[in-house]
Amino acid sequence: MAMSGIDNTLKEIFGFNEFRPGQQQVMASIAAGASAAAIFPTGAGKSLCYQLPALLEPGMTLVVSPLLSLMKDQLDFLKSKNIAAAKLDSGMSAEDYRSTLEKARLGKLKILMIAVERLKNERFRTQLRQMKVSLLVVDEAHCISEWGHNFRPDYLKLPLYQKDFGIGKVLLLTATATPRVIDDMCEKFAIQRNNVVQTGFFRKNLFLR
């Protein structure tokens, strides 16, 4: 995945002329075959850090979230760009669920979004073994740390699943993480500190009065 391909995809598919702070650095790590973490404030463009590389990866990108409702805007955005993306949730009909899994198995999806609890389902894990997953994206990644305020035990198994399913790279996304939580996240996924991009928490669109 060359940086020229990233630049072209930014303009041609997403319609943006330039990157926001930190995005290009995260994508360069993914392009180089490394796992990475993006710690950006809300609204600073974390999602593009996986959406764009997903189009250039040979296989599918699997996005894991604590809550699928958090993913609705991202899914709508991807569909508006004619990107083959889907989610699996408990509200789907059996037919839609089967159809989505079939597309994923056949390599017809670039991005599949699931809630973290989906991985507890043995039948889904069996299906996942038949999919070619190039990148695992962990949304709200601070949930993996017992030192954080939103610890989710289900997240602790994600590094094991990454190894078990032979997924070569992981991208961690979060808006807030203390230094201790960042260390914990990176240690659990064996991410080198030079592949952690933190842009700060200042948001110019917010103010107190």
Side-chain angles (χ1 to χ4, degrees), residues 18-29:
E18 57 187 28
F19 292 101
R20 292 187 186 182
Q23 288 179 329
Q24 198 166 12
Q25 192 179 343
V26 173
M27 292 180 203
S29 294

Side-chain angles (χ1 to χ4, degrees), residues 10-145:
L10 182 74
K11 292 185 179 71
E12 292 169 12
I13 305 295
F14 292 96
F16 301 134
N17 289 320
E18 57 187 28
F19 292 101
R20 292 187 186 182
Q23 288 179 329
Q24 198 166 12
Q25 192 179 343
V26 173
M27 292 180 203
S29 294
I30 300 297
S35 292
I39 303 159
F40 297 1
T42 301
K46 284 191 302 295
S47 301
L48 194 72
C49 291
Y50 81 81
Q51 291 169 344
L52 194 158
L55 300 185
L56 304 175
E57 290 290 332
M60 188 178 75
T61 290
L62 181 68
V63 184
V64 178
S65 170
L67 199 62
L68 269 182
S69 59
L70 296 173
M71 293 273 152
K72 185 184 182 306
D73 289 346
Q74 295 178 38
L75 190 60
D76 289 345
F77 173 73
L78 289 164
K79 288 182 174 178
S80 77
K81 301 295 180 185
N82 295 314
I83 293 166
K87 64 181 172 71
L88 289 176
D89 67 51
S90 52
M92 298 171 80
S93 68
E95 185 180 344
D96 284 346
Y97 185 87
R98 280 195 302 271
S99 169
T100 301
L101 282 178
E102 183 71 4
K103 286 177 187 171
R105 279 200 307 270
L106 294 174
K108 293 182 178 178
L109 286 181
K110 289 309 291 178
I111 296 171
L112 178 64
M113 301 173 178
I114 63 168
V116 66
E117 290 82 9
R118 178 73 50 190
L119 287 160
K120 290 196 285 193
N121 183 305
E122 189 176 344
R123 187 176 295 178
F124 172 72
R125 294 200 307 273
T126 300
Q127 300 273 5
L128 189 57
R129 290 185 198 286
Q130 300 171 45
M131 302 174 196
K132 181 176 171 52
V133 181
S134 296
L135 177 65
L136 171 66
V137 177
V138 182
D139 195 36
E140 307 293 339
H142 59 273
C143 292
I144 198 173
S145 178

